[in-house]
Amino acid sequence: MGRRSRGRRLQQQQRPEDAEDGAEGGGKRGEAGWEGGYPEIVKENKLFEHYYQELKIVPEGEWGQFMDALREPLPATLRITGYKRYPEELAWHTNLSRKILRKSPHLEKFHQFLVSETESGNISRQEAVSMIPPLLLNVRPHHKILDMCAAPGSKTTQLIEMLHADMNVPFPEGFVIANDVDNKRCYLLVHQAKRLSSPCIMVVNHDASSIPRLQIDVDGRKEILFYDRILCDVPCSGDGTMRKNIDVWKKWTTLNSLQLHGLQLRIATRGAEQLAEGGRMVYSTCSLNPIEDEAVIASLLEKSEGALELADVSNELPGLKWMPGITQWKVMTKDGQWFTDWDAVPHSRHTQIRPTMFPPKDPEKLQAMHLERCLRILPHHQNTGGFFVAVLVKKSSMPWNKRQPKLQGKSAETRESTQLSPADLTEGKPTDPSKLESPSFTGTGDTEIAHATEDLENNGSKKDGVCGPPPSKKMKLFGFKEDPFVFIPEDDPLFPPIEMNLLTRTTEGKKRQLYMVSKELRNVLLNNSEKMKVINTGIKVWCRNNSGEEFDCAFRLAQEGIYTLYPFINSRIITVSMEDVKILLTQENPFFRKLSSETYSQAKDLAKGSIVLKYEPDSANPDALQCPIVLCGWRGKASIRTFVPKNERLHYLRMMGLEVLGEKKKEGVILTNESAASTGQPDNDVTEGQRAGEPNSPDAEEANSPDVTAGCDPAGVHPPR
């Protein structure tokens, strides 16, 4: 206590010197104001400037503009969740920085709006250049997509949106498998993906450079899964992000790129192997360095021997300004020594510099690669970050896949697909101890094929419908141990008439929550549980309702999956008016008498249990809300309750013209937080079992979560377990 008091007194004694400056916006602290009082990082790096001036990646006469742009804060950008392209005014940017948006008292309401709508999945706050790679993938709803290095997940959400381009189709034929090597970042990825409530997303945890080949069942026979689209947004040095990651200014060195090059090439090679013929792979980095960009692409094209080619995408995003890829570059060590070709590199440098870092010597081969088709986005051209994108199309199998392995009982196509690759044999481990290594899983070469044949022989011995975590003896597993994925059998006594791909995360005890996946992802899960470490998949559609078991209603509907499930629901649907929706969303447990007579007449004859509340827009009344709303609810003895997450409630209320201010009451609106759950039980038969939230630990399948907002379906950050 004494030290704190002395510290406060000392601060008060020091303040008068610059108090006037602070009031007028001057002084070091005053200049920062509400933006923060941290010392300014000097945005200078002579080695960085020397390196890129020598490589001439910036057009002549624009170097000053380039450096000035890098020193300016990055504008905040966002996109509206939608299934059109972002040039159609679904992506927006403001010249305000993220710090100003967070700290300015004048923008407090706007910032709250952004946070709330982001949590609801209606907008995504994403850097403008980061939106480019998914757009260039040209995704269609039937495509099978692999996102190799997906966390934190902004690009993954774009891919999910594109799969659901037709809003009338709840289960597209395609799916997204989103992978990341970092177990903790996988949970951030889950949180991002869950905002969009899609049954077509699976999050897995593998080293992208050795991600296993998967199998699927096609008409009773096992075939290798090849992806129609692959996003290869590899780890990079990130010097294109200097505008938002200020630390890059003082930490930048060419050594980062030299260490990452090998890993980037291995990831890109692995992606090319798993790409279907005719498929498209986008390779991207947030680095401007040709060692991480053109050098990786040139090496990949060279080893593909014509199986891959760079696509010309110059007309696919007409509003985008970009520079063509370069065809000549040099390699510089961290101490400033330059090398123009591999032959000039002394033997002592061979562990740091590799031959794949240099452009091809053969002019004809170099010209045939069309490296100018790569896109490099410079910050000063459109007030963005720096970025690099290359779009590759697969014309034929990779050369090492064309040799036939000696396997019995497989078709030629399957044998061709499972042949070992150079990435498995020679690129599996870096030859240089200084190369960046990430935790990797072993067993992708001969053992992978052996396991594939074992799966064919022993598939029937595995317990039906149970997809557990991979055995620890076959893989090195990192992070938390995941609960199994158990599909509900078709003859389950609880759901006899339902033919859906339902799963739960427990093999024992009562099923607490039920999730739904598309049939294509079910196929992947059931045929690859020994190979994959699956972190999360499926969309929650039912939650256990303990008090409802006495009248055959053991589960209630979950708002998270209501739009997916709604097309299959044929009864217990109540049509409500806009005024009814306002009451249901702003009052915890409204009695029937508070609702319209039309709503009451529909609800009065229904038995207690789950219901669906549907609002249909009235085209004759243009002032009314013009989009449909579907809410899951509970019909009690004398009242109706909705189970909607708080941020989704705020979204609907905003759409209906009600302004909501934090946790305050306005226009009859009552917003509760998690602490409100302790205020007591409602006055009808909705129990704690119907408020069950997302579990935060593997043991939560058997325990209820008490601290959940009354009347809300919780939107937990943690994945379902």
Side-chain angles (χ1 to χ4, degrees):
M1 290 293 292
R3 251 180 292 182
R4 285 185 189 173
S5 299
R6 284 196 299 272
R8 281 196 292 268
R9 285 198 301 270
L10 189 60
Q11 289 177 8
Q12 290 170 359
Q13 291 169 4
Q14 292 173 344
R15 281 192 65 185
E17 295 180 14
D18 56 8
E20 186 176 347
D21 289 338
E24 297 297 324
K28 290 184 179 179
R29 174 66 182 176
E31 285 179 9
W34 38 259
E35 293 185 32
Y38 299 103
E40 194 72 27
I41 292 178
V42 178
K43 298 178 180 179
E44 295 285 346
N45 189 308
K46 297 300 181 185
L47 189 63
F48 172 87
E49 295 189 41
H50 170 64
Y51 182 72
Y52 282 115
Q53 281 181 314
E54 188 72 22
L55 291 179
K56 295 181 171 57
I57 66 162
V58 178
E60 190 172 349
E62 296 183 17
W63 181 258
Q65 301 171 44
F66 171 74
M67 291 304 298
D68 289 344
L70 282 178
R71 293 186 177 102
E72 289 295 318
L74 187 69
T77 51
L78 61 92
R79 57 184 174 81
I80 301 170
T81 300
Y83 307 110
K84 299 179 182 178
R85 295 297 180 259
Y86 306 113
E88 301 291 333
E89 295 190 346
L90 285 176
W92 300 79
H93 102 178
T94 170
N95 287 326
L96 300 172
S97 69
R98 294 181 302 164
K99 183 187 291 185
I100 293 176
L101 279 178
R102 285 197 306 268
K103 302 293 184 180
S104 170
H106 306 294
L107 299 172
E108 183 180 0
K109 288 183 183 179
F110 182 54
H111 183 251
Q112 290 176 352
F113 164 79
L114 291 178
V115 171
S116 175
E117 295 297 327
T118 300
E119 285 298 314
S120 298
N122 298 306
I123 65 173
S124 291
R125 299 161 74 182
Q126 180 182 359
E127 189 178 347
V129 289
S130 175
M131 303 178 193
I132 296 171
L135 293 176
L136 292 176
L137 272 177
N138 196 21
V139 169
R140 296 290 179 264
H142 63 277
H143 283 157
K144 300 174 180 63
I145 307 165
L146 173 64
D147 190 349
M148 300 189 74
C149 308
S154 56
K155 299 180 185 67
T156 307
T157 58
Q158 278 182 273
L159 299 174
I160 297 171
E161 291 172 27
M162 294 173 185
L163 275 185
H164 291 272
D166 187 349
M167 293 290 287
N168 296 317
V169 180
F171 291 99
E173 292 181 22
F175 56 78
V176 177
I177 294 180
N179 172 73
D180 202 85
V181 68
D182 189 319
N183 184 264
K184 291 182 180 179
R185 282 166 62 87
C186 282
Y187 293 96
L188 178 59
L189 178 57
V190 168
H191 177 56
Q192 284 275 44
K194 281 171 67 65
R195 296 185 303 116
L196 297 188
S197 301
S198 171
C200 304
I201 170 71
M202 179 190 295
V203 177
V204 298
N205 180 202
H206 289 278
D207 178 3
S209 64
S210 58
I211 190 168
R213 290 186 178 92
L214 304 183
Q215 292 180 325
I216 53 175
D217 186 284
V218 180
D219 298 328
R221 68 180 186 277
K222 298 290 176 65
E223 292 188 359
I224 300 297
L225 171 62
F226 287 97
Y227 300 95
D228 303 297
R229 296 290 187 268
I230 293 180
L231 178 56
C232 189
D233 186 52
V234 296
C236 64
S237 62
D239 58 19
T241 69
M242 282 180 158
R243 300 183 68 178
K244 64 176 182 180
N245 297 323
I246 311 298
D247 281 351
V248 178
W249 282 98
K250 59 181 179 181
K251 294 180 179 178
W252 187 92
T253 170
T254 56
L255 183 62
N256 297 335
S257 298
L258 299 178
Q259 290 178 331
L260 284 163
H261 171 86
L263 175 65
Q264 293 163 337
L265 181 55
R266 291 195 301 276
I267 293 174
T269 301
R270 192 60 171 170
E273 290 171 355
Q274 303 210 20
L275 187 64
E277 290 186 26
R280 180 178 278 205
M281 181 174 86
V282 170
Y283 175 90
S284 63
T285 74
C286 49
S287 169
L288 302 173
N289 199 326
I291 306 302
E292 303 177 65
D293 300 339
E294 286 91 346
V296 174
I297 296 299
S299 180
L300 183 60
L301 290 172
E302 188 170 19
K303 70 162 67 175
S304 76
E305 298 177 6
L308 299 173
E309 74 172 23
L310 275 169
D312 183 358
V313 294
S314 56
N315 296 321
E316 293 193 15
L317 293 176
L320 181 67
K321 295 180 181 178
W322 51 275
M323 296 298 298
I326 60 177
T327 56
Q328 293 296 328
W329 61 88
K330 299 182 289 184
V331 178
M332 188 179 80
T333 62
K334 66 176 181 178
D335 52 7
Q337 188 177 1
W338 290 95
F339 297 101
T340 55
D341 59 64
W342 171 247
D343 295 336
V345 180
H347 190 269
S348 60
R349 297 280 191 179
H350 281 189
T351 56
Q352 185 183 94
I353 299 175
R354 305 301 302 155
T356 53
M357 297 178 181
F358 296 92
K361 288 184 177 180
D362 187 341
E364 292 183 3
K365 184 184 292 187
L366 182 62
Q367 185 177 1
M369 288 181 178
H370 294 291
L371 291 178
E372 71 278 358
R373 292 178 178 175
C374 300
L375 314 181
R376 180 176 275 104
I377 292 95
L378 299 178
H380 64 291
H381 283 167
Q382 287 183 300
N383 197 15
T384 64
F387 213 72
F388 175 87
V389 188
V391 182
L392 296 154
V393 176
K394 192 171 184 179
K395 295 298 184 181
S396 62
S397 298
M398 301 298 278
W400 51 87
N401 288 135
K402 295 178 181 178
R403 297 186 291 274
Q404 302 289 327
K406 295 180 181 179
L407 291 179
Q408 301 297 324
K410 283 192 171 187
S411 66
E413 181 180 352
T414 306
R415 289 198 304 270
E416 180 178 305
S417 304
T418 54
Q419 172 63 22
L420 292 178
S421 70
D424 293 322
L425 296 175
T426 61
E427 296 286 352
K429 293 183 179 179
T431 57
D432 172 14
S434 69
K435 292 285 178 68
L436 180 70
E437 290 186 8
S438 53
S440 61
F441 302 124
T442 59
T444 56
D446 291 322
T447 56
E448 179 180 314
I449 297 179
H451 292 329
T453 54
E454 286 175 15
D455 288 344
L456 289 174
E457 295 170 3
N458 303 325
N459 190 56
S461 63
K462 192 173 67 173
K463 188 174 180 180
D464 290 341
V466 179
C467 305
S472 57
K473 289 183 180 179
K474 291 187 180 179
M475 289 185 181
K476 297 177 184 176
L477 297 182
F478 300 87
F480 304 104
K481 181 181 179 182
E482 295 299 323
D483 292 327
F485 293 83
V486 184
F487 282 95
I488 306 297
E490 294 181 2
D491 58 351
D492 188 275
L494 194 59
F495 299 101
I498 299 180
E499 295 182 4
M500 292 184 178
N501 301 304
L502 298 178
L503 60 86
T504 184
R505 300 298 302 270
T506 180
T507 54
E508 300 175 356
K510 290 184 177 181
K511 304 171 181 66
R512 186 163 180 260
Q513 296 176 1
L514 298 180
Y515 304 89
M516 182 184 292
V517 296
S518 65
K519 64 178 182 179
E520 288 78 14
L521 276 185
R522 175 191 172 103
N523 190 347
V524 174
L525 266 173
L526 289 177
N527 288 287
N528 298 280
S529 63
E530 300 296 313
K531 295 182 178 182
M532 285 192 307
K533 183 178 180 184
V534 180
I535 301 297
N536 185 273
T537 191
I539 176 177
K540 183 171 67 177
V541 289
W542 279 291
C543 296
R544 176 162 288 279
N545 172 28
N546 294 325
S547 68
E549 294 181 6
E550 59 191 57
F551 45 93
D552 290 333
C553 192
F555 288 85
R556 67 166 178 83
L557 295 170
Q559 183 68 22
E560 183 180 315
I562 193 64
Y563 285 95
T564 299
L565 204 58
Y566 180 76
F568 306 100
I569 299 176
N570 299 315
S571 62
R572 298 184 66 84
I573 300 175
I574 298 177
T575 303
V576 294
S577 67
M578 193 169 83
E579 290 304 316
D580 289 331
V581 175
K582 291 179 182 179
I583 293 172
L584 289 165
L585 293 179
T586 57
Q587 298 186 26
E588 183 179 326
N589 233 12
F591 288 104
F592 291 152
R593 65 175 180 269
K594 293 187 178 182
L595 303 173
S596 65
S597 57
E598 292 83 1
T599 299
Y600 173 67
S601 63
Q602 298 173 72
K604 66 178 182 178
D605 296 327
L606 294 177
K608 291 188 293 184
S610 266
I611 55 173
V612 176
L613 303 158
K614 176 70 181 292
Y615 166 76
E616 289 286 359
D618 182 6
S619 57
N621 182 9
D623 294 331
L625 183 63
Q626 292 300 307
C627 68
I629 294 177
V630 181
L631 307 174
C632 70
W634 183 266
R635 197 276 196 205
K637 289 180 181 178
S639 62
I640 291 178
R641 181 195 192 112
T642 55
F643 294 91
V644 183
K646 173 184 168 182
N647 287 314
E648 193 168 341
R649 287 177 175 236
L650 297 182
H651 170 70
Y652 292 136
L653 292 172
R654 286 192 192 99
M655 292 172 63
M656 292 182 289
L658 284 177
E659 183 181 5
V660 181
L661 299 175
E663 303 295 331
K664 299 178 182 179
K665 300 179 182 180
K666 187 174 178 67
E667 302 287 339
V669 178
I670 303 175
L671 300 180
T672 60
N673 54 25
E674 292 188 2
S675 63
S678 61
T679 58
Q681 284 279 22
D683 55 359
N684 72 358
D685 52 345
V686 181
T687 70
E688 199 68 38
Q690 287 119 40
R691 305 182 201 167
E694 293 281 5
N696 290 324
S697 69
D699 297 325
E701 281 290 350
E702 288 80 30
N704 285 333
S705 176
D707 53 348
V708 177
T709 303
C712 290
D713 227 12
V717 173
H718 298 278
R721 299 208 178 263

